Amino acid sequence: MSSTRPIFIPVILGTPRQGRMSEHVAHFVLEEVRKREDIATELIDVRELKLPVTDAGEALKDPQFSATVDRADALIIVAPEYNHGYPGLLKHALDSNLKEYIHKAVGICGVSAGPFGGARVIENLLPVMRELGLVTIFWDVNFSSVQKGFDAAGNLIDQAYVKRFDKFIKELIWMAKLLRHGRENLPI
């Protein structure tokens, strides 16, 4: 396995809504990943993707998004729960790629204003991840009552999330390394 290239794990912020509390979560996640010397990361905000809604498949790809996903070893998706599901624009963005996802790890951070911490958005995204060819990890991070976990400036209030995220990212890194080794060394 190549040890010279760091593991690349972009963070996808999965909603374009104004006033989105999941933006605080995405920035927390991004900063926690950046603390790890062996990991490279960047934020992908679905709000900034150039995706037409009048076509499908290869015809609607955002070239920069596709190149970033292709280069990634794993992904972290920060997805708010909207009416027991995930945001439509997130699904649209995810569907714009296929081969770029094959045999790569993914971890999901669910966000909710309610007490269930986005558990339902995670449950709804799991079959989508599998269909795209991504490999889900065992741990998720559920940000319940997100408005109580961060202050108005986006600073983390509930420090328990640091430990929860550490468990999550260790599993994601392990899976990303394993799958990178497989992609680079084992023929299909």
Side-chain angles (χ1 to χ4, degrees):
M1 177 172 18
S2 172
S3 60
T4 58
R5 183 171 51 98
I7 297 293
F8 179 50
I9 307 176
V11 176
I12 299 174
L13 173 52
T15 180
R17 284 191 180 175
Q18 297 297 319
R20 56 193 179 175
M21 292 297 292
S22 54
E23 188 168 355
H24 297 324
V25 174
H27 287 288
F28 162 74
V29 167
L30 188 68
E31 292 310 311
E32 288 299 303
V33 175
R34 283 183 173 153
K35 290 178 182 177
R36 299 181 177 272
E37 294 178 10
D38 56 338
I39 307 300
T41 190
E42 66 183 62
L43 180 66
I44 300 170
D45 187 339
V46 296
R47 182 188 284 173
E48 297 173 8
L49 298 179
K50 308 291 187 249
L51 297 171
V53 293
T54 56
D55 218 326
E58 297 287 321
L60 64 83
K61 285 188 177 196
D62 176 303
Q64 184 177 349
F65 177 58
S66 294
T68 301
V69 171
D70 192 46
R71 200 175 91 227
D73 295 297
L75 299 169
I76 297 173
I77 297 174
V78 176
E81 183 178 312
Y82 292 160
N83 300 316
H84 291 224
Y86 44 82
L89 189 56
L90 174 61
K91 179 71 162 76
H92 187 60
L94 291 171
D95 285 349
S96 71
N97 292 290
L98 292 173
K99 68 182 184 308
E100 294 87 351
Y101 299 125
I102 304 298
H103 298 135
K104 295 182 180 180
V106 64
I108 305 170
C109 297
V111 182
S112 175
F116 300 112
R120 294 176 290 217
V121 71
I122 292 168
E123 288 297 318
N124 280 296
L125 278 170
L126 290 176
V128 174
M129 299 298 101
R130 183 175 180 197
E131 184 62 26
L132 292 173
L134 291 159
V135 178
T136 57
I137 62 171
F138 298 109
W139 302 108
D140 307 308
V141 184
N142 303 64
F143 290 85
S144 59
S145 303
V146 68
Q147 66 282 8
K148 296 178 185 174
F150 295 85
D151 66 19
N155 299 307
L156 183 68
I157 296 170
D158 186 348
Q159 294 300 312
Y161 285 112
V162 174
K163 186 175 180 182
R164 290 179 201 153
F165 186 80
D166 185 60
K167 188 176 185 179
F168 167 91
I169 195 65
K170 284 178 181 173
E171 174 71 17
L172 186 61
I173 292 167
W174 186 88
M175 188 67 78
K177 288 179 178 180
L178 179 72
L179 291 169
R180 180 201 271 181
H181 176 78
R183 287 190 314 276
E184 292 177 352
N185 297 289
L186 303 173
I188 294 180

